[in-house]
């Protein structure tokens, strides 16, 4: 049995709402820096008009995120989750500072050298994302689904917050290079501070919450080694060797191959959700929607509407009667989203901005809703180590879809002279 230098939660709900709030903040921190970079696209578009920054930065980010997570997911059973997540948040903090320092050092000048520097930092964001997103989804997969849902909702909320801040800074400063630059500086100063807050929350607050200690202790009793450092930070010691000697079968788990084969439909679901979404957002919405009465605000409004409805979609599954859990139903619904590609194409060519805003909202709603449905349904019925592994594999599939979608997004430029 697992023993403690402290007490385990008497039930698996103690501290639940505090844990959900912390998970929401940590989810926010997972994408806050990257969403800040995307949301100041008008500034980078001004500095680097020939380099398609919305598309290029996404394309640079994704190989680093996917490649790093592939390595981490393959070795997930041996990794120290605490070091992995803390390292990721620290990397987010340092990278956000570097964006700010680069802009200050170059006095807001464009040029190829500055753009390459921003691309390098974008790749660093990808490495940080691989550490945090895969690590947190894997860790939360062995806890209550509400905690994972809160983390995913926090990720979506980062888009809403950054969009809201962008509207405020765009309205507050003149629509000029200096005004755009001031907004960008505000963005990354806030981003760096928030990432520092996430380091503190994960390292010192989250491990000590009763519900978190309960589920991590439960996972440790089922053979999980990834939670040991976090349990130690909470004052709990585990003795897996003694348990293995008492009951070797208790610590047995499915191989990664068997786990993947049992959940191949969920893996395809996650890939399909994000390959579709990223083939449209943000590149197409930033460059290919034509000129409309909203002018320079148009792309910002579209991105904000996507983020808003993505957040709403991620909260709908909290109502159990509205949560889709049928594996066949999820597959059919997710694959049907590919009909949005011709819908966006013909809307951009022939319809007005109202229809485009509606389509973008639906894209965000379905993206958020299906993401939560898949990630909270898949781990059910497995032991802690298996849930952590499955969470990592689904996060890898998610990033794989984002990577593929970011590459396919370039197809919209065919026939446009680049």
């Amino acid at each position: 049995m697992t023993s403690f230098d402290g007490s385990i939660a008497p039930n698996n709900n103690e501290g639940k709402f505090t844990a959900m709030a912390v998970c929401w903040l940590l989810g926010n921190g997972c994408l806050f820096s990257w969403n800040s970079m995307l949301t100041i696209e008008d500034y980078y578009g001004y500095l680097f008009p020939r380099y398609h920054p919305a598309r290029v930065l996404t394309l640079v980010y994704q190989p680093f995120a996917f490649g790093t997570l592939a390595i981490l997911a393959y070795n997930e059973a041996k990794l120290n989750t605490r070091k992995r997540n803390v390292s990721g948040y620290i990397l987010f903090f340092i990278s956000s500072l570097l964006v700010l320092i680069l802009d200050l050092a170059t006095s807001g000048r464009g040029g190829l050298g500055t753009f390459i520097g921003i691309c390098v930092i974008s790749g660093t964001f990808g490495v940080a994302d691989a550490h945090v997103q895969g690590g947190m989804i894997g860790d939360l997969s062995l806890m209550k689904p509400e905690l994972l849902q809160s983390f995913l909702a926090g990720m979506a909320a980062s888009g809403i917050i950054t969009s809201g801040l962008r509207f405020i800074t765009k309205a507050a400063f003149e629509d000029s290079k200096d005004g755009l630059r001031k907004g960008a500086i505000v963005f990354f100063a806030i981003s760096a501070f928030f990432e520092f807050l996430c380091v503190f929350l994960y390292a010192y607050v989250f491990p000590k919450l009763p519900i978190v200690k309960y589920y991590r202790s439960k996972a440790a009793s089922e053979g999980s080694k990834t939670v040991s450092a976090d349990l130690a930070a909470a004052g709990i010691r585990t003795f897996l060797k003694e348990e293995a000697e008492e009951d070797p079968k208790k610590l047995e788990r499915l191989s990664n191959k068997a786990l993947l084969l049992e959940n191949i439909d969920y893996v395809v679901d996650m890939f399909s959700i994000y390959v579709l979404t990223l083939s449209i957002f943000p590149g197409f919405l930033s460059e290919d929607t034509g000129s409309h009465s909203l002018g320079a605000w148009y792309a910002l409004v579209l991105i904000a509407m996507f983020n808003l409805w993505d957040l709403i979609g991620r909260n709908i599954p909290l109502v159990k009667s509205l949560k889709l859990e049928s594996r066949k139903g999820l597959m059919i619904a997710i694959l049907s989203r590919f009909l949005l590609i011709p819908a966006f194409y013909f809307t951009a060519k022939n319809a007005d901005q109202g229809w485009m805003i509606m389509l973008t909202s639906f894209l965000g709603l379905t993206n958020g809703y299906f993401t939560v449905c898949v990630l909270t349904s898949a781990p059910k019925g497995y032991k802690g180590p298996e849930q952590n592994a499955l969470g990592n594999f689904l996060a890898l599939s998610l990033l794989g879809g984002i990577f593929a979608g970011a590459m396919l997004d370039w197809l919209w430029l065919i026939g446009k002279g680049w």
Side-chain angles (χ1 to χ4, degrees):
M1 294 295 292
T2 304
S3 64
F4 311 94
D5 288 339
S7 59
I8 191 170
N11 60 68
N12 60 5
N13 281 312
E14 187 179 340
K16 173 183 170 182
F17 294 107
T18 302
M20 288 176 67
V22 173
C23 286
W24 188 89
L25 289 170
L26 291 172
N28 213 305
C30 184
L31 282 182
F32 196 91
S33 295
W34 174 240
N35 276 327
S36 295
M37 183 173 276
L38 288 182
T39 310
I40 59 169
E41 156 58 22
D42 50 351
Y43 175 56
Y44 285 147
Y46 187 97
L47 288 183
F48 314 110
R50 295 188 300 142
Y51 301 141
H52 301 276
R55 286 183 164 96
V56 172
L57 292 177
T58 301
L59 198 59
V60 170
Y61 177 95
Q62 294 310 326
F64 284 95
F66 182 76
T68 304
L69 184 53
I71 296 169
L72 295 174
Y74 181 78
N75 296 288
E76 55 79 28
K78 306 171 188 175
L79 296 177
N80 180 324
T81 300
R82 180 175 177 80
K83 287 183 179 178
R84 173 179 177 176
N85 289 331
V86 170
S87 297
Y89 282 117
I90 289 175
L91 197 54
F92 272 131
F93 168 64
I94 293 172
S95 301
S96 297
L97 274 182
L98 287 176
V99 175
L100 187 58
I101 292 168
L102 178 63
D103 190 86
L104 293 173
T106 60
S107 300
R109 291 190 300 271
L112 182 59
T114 304
F115 187 65
I116 290 173
I118 291 172
C119 286
V120 170
I121 295 172
S122 178
T124 307
F125 280 144
V127 174
D129 183 21
H131 279 76
V132 171
Q133 189 168 173
M136 288 298 298
I137 289 176
D139 197 21
L140 295 175
S141 291
L142 53 85
M143 302 182 196
K144 266 193 173 302
E146 291 89 337
L147 301 189
L148 179 54
Q149 183 275 333
S150 294
F151 178 80
L152 296 171
M155 291 174 66
S158 68
I160 291 295
I161 294 171
T162 52
S163 291
L165 286 172
R166 189 69 196 99
F167 283 132
I168 293 169
T169 56
K170 190 173 180 66
F173 302 117
E174 291 183 6
D175 192 7
S176 63
K177 179 180 176 181
D178 288 340
L180 291 173
R181 185 181 176 224
K182 289 176 183 176
I185 289 172
V186 169
F187 260 68
F188 280 97
I190 294 173
S191 179
F193 171 77
F194 189 76
E195 296 300 346
F196 180 78
L197 175 63
C198 287
V199 174
F200 174 79
L201 285 174
Y202 185 84
Y204 298 106
V205 177
F206 191 62
K208 297 179 181 179
L209 297 174
I211 188 172
V212 175
K213 290 194 287 185
Y214 176 91
Y215 280 104
R216 282 177 171 164
S217 298
K218 180 175 179 290
S221 71
E222 294 170 344
S224 178
K225 299 177 182 178
T226 61
V227 297
S228 298
D230 277 310
L231 285 173
I236 299 171
R237 292 177 297 154
T238 60
F239 299 95
L240 295 180
K241 288 183 179 180
E242 288 84 343
E243 290 189 355
E245 291 172 0
E246 292 175 9
D247 187 3
K249 290 185 178 180
K250 185 178 180 181
L251 303 185
E252 289 180 358
R253 55 156 287 183
L254 288 174
S255 68
N256 286 345
K257 181 179 179 180
L259 196 61
L260 279 172
L261 289 175
E262 283 189 8
N263 294 278
I264 192 65
D265 55 328
Y266 286 130
V267 172
V268 172
D269 286 343
M270 288 306 303
F271 181 85
S272 300
I273 291 169
Y274 283 88
V275 72
L276 183 277
T277 297
L278 268 291
S279 67
I280 298 169
F281 175 88
F284 174 81
L285 298 183
S286 297
E287 296 185 7
D288 300 297
T289 52
S291 299
H292 300 276
S293 61
L294 287 172
W297 289 83
Y298 188 50
L300 292 180
V301 170
L302 290 178
I303 290 172
M305 292 304 294
F306 173 89
N307 288 327
L308 173 62
W309 285 96
D310 183 38
L311 176 61
I312 292 171
R314 291 178 189 231
N315 283 286
I316 291 175
L318 284 174
V319 182
K320 290 187 178 180
S321 60
L322 298 179
K323 183 179 180 181
L324 180 59
E325 294 189 273
S326 164
R327 296 174 78 149
K328 184 181 289 187
L330 280 169
M331 178 68 75
I332 293 171
I334 288 167
L335 292 179
S336 69
R337 290 178 78 235
F338 283 93
L339 293 173
L340 287 171
I341 292 177
F344 270 97
Y345 176 77
F346 288 111
T347 299
K349 286 190 69 174
N350 304 309
D352 62 22
Q353 61 194 28
W355 285 101
M356 183 62 76
I357 291 171
M358 185 193 73
L359 267 183
T360 303
S361 300
F362 185 73
L363 178 72
L365 177 71
T366 53
N367 184 82
Y369 176 75
F370 289 128
T371 295
V372 172
C373 286
V374 172
L375 287 175
T376 56
S377 298
K380 290 182 177 178
Y382 290 104
K383 294 178 180 178
E386 295 163 342
Q387 291 171 325
N388 181 66
L390 184 55
N392 272 270
F393 293 140
L394 290 175
L396 179 63
S397 180
L398 183 157
L399 286 181
I402 291 176
F403 185 22
M407 291 190 291
L408 291 172
D409 184 47
W410 288 84
L411 295 178
W412 294 104
L413 294 177
I414 292 176
K416 293 182 184 257
W418 198 88

